[in-house]
Amino acid sequence: GGSTTATDLGTLGGTRSYTSAVSADGTVIVGHADNADGDRHAVSWLGGSTTATDLGTLGGTTSYAKAVSADGSVIVGEAQNAGGDNRAVSWLDGSTTATDLGTLGGQYSAATAVSADGSVIIGYAYDAGGTSRSVSWVDGSTTATLLETLGGTYSNVYSAGADGSIIVGFAENAVGNFHAVSWVDGSTTATDLGTLGGTGS
């Protein structure tokens, strides 16, 4: 059995820190921590270290690390830019420089999960009309790919398979009901996973 003693992972000089995820190999923990100015920054703790590494922002004051690939090489989340907008970002191969993953023409985006192999990042991005849409970023691309709905406006992605070949979530159909869906093998077309006879899943 493992230890039942909590290990304090510290902060960036502020009062709080939070963990969001740990890599499957156990080498990288990610989350966010307050600095001495009270700003919340994405952080990582590497190789069992209790010293938080500041992952920085895009020129704004805040950032959040939300998920990490199995080997710890791809960290994803969101970071504020100099204009005050939050953007989906990735941090690659131990870098503390955030890469802006862009939007669909709107102001905001966020990366919420990454496949175990790091090849597919998923999240949401706002389009030019201000609607939040489900998106993916594939094989290191910084261009958001829109994941279609079932004829409605809204959708949400939850998780990607280990190799990124399947993405799951829910999407709105043409009559306004939400159904569980998958997007498979790089397709942007949602596959309706149905219900148990009701209107939603």
Side-chain angles (χ1 to χ4, degrees):
S3 172
T4 57
T5 303
T7 299
D8 188 345
L9 297 178
T11 69
L12 293 173
T15 58
R16 294 182 178 88
S17 60
Y18 306 84
T19 58
S20 302
V22 60
S23 60
D25 66 4
T27 62
V28 179
I29 299 170
V30 301
H32 48 274
D34 293 349
N35 64 20
D37 294 327
D39 297 326
R40 195 155 288 175
H41 282 198
V43 294
S44 62
W45 293 271
L46 307 178
S49 173
T50 57
T51 300
T53 298
D54 190 341
L55 298 179
T57 70
L58 292 172
T61 59
T62 59
S63 59
Y64 302 88
K66 297 186 175 181
V68 59
S69 63
D71 66 357
S73 64
V74 181
I75 298 170
V76 302
E78 60 185 279
Q80 190 180 63
N81 63 22
D85 299 328
N86 278 20
R87 294 292 179 89
V89 293
S90 62
W91 294 271
L92 304 179
D93 298 323
S95 173
T96 57
T97 300
T99 298
D100 188 340
L101 299 179
T103 70
L104 291 173
Q107 289 182 284
Y108 304 106
S109 59
T112 56
V114 59
S115 61
D117 67 1
S119 66
V120 175
I121 298 168
I122 59 174
Y124 65 87
Y126 279 66
D127 62 23
T131 300
S132 176
R133 308 296 295 271
S134 293
V135 294
S136 64
W137 295 270
V138 179
D139 293 332
S141 173
T142 57
T143 300
T145 298
L146 174 64
L147 298 174
E148 299 291 347
T149 67
L150 295 171
T153 302
Y154 300 101
S155 62
N156 196 17
V157 289
Y158 287 127
S159 183
D163 65 357
S165 63
I166 185 167
I167 297 168
V168 296
F170 67 82
E172 185 181 27
N173 64 20
V175 295
N177 296 322
F178 290 95
H179 284 197
V181 296
S182 61
W183 295 270
V184 179
D185 292 333
S187 173
T188 60
T189 300
T191 298
D192 191 340
L193 299 180
T195 70
L196 292 175
T199 59
S201 59

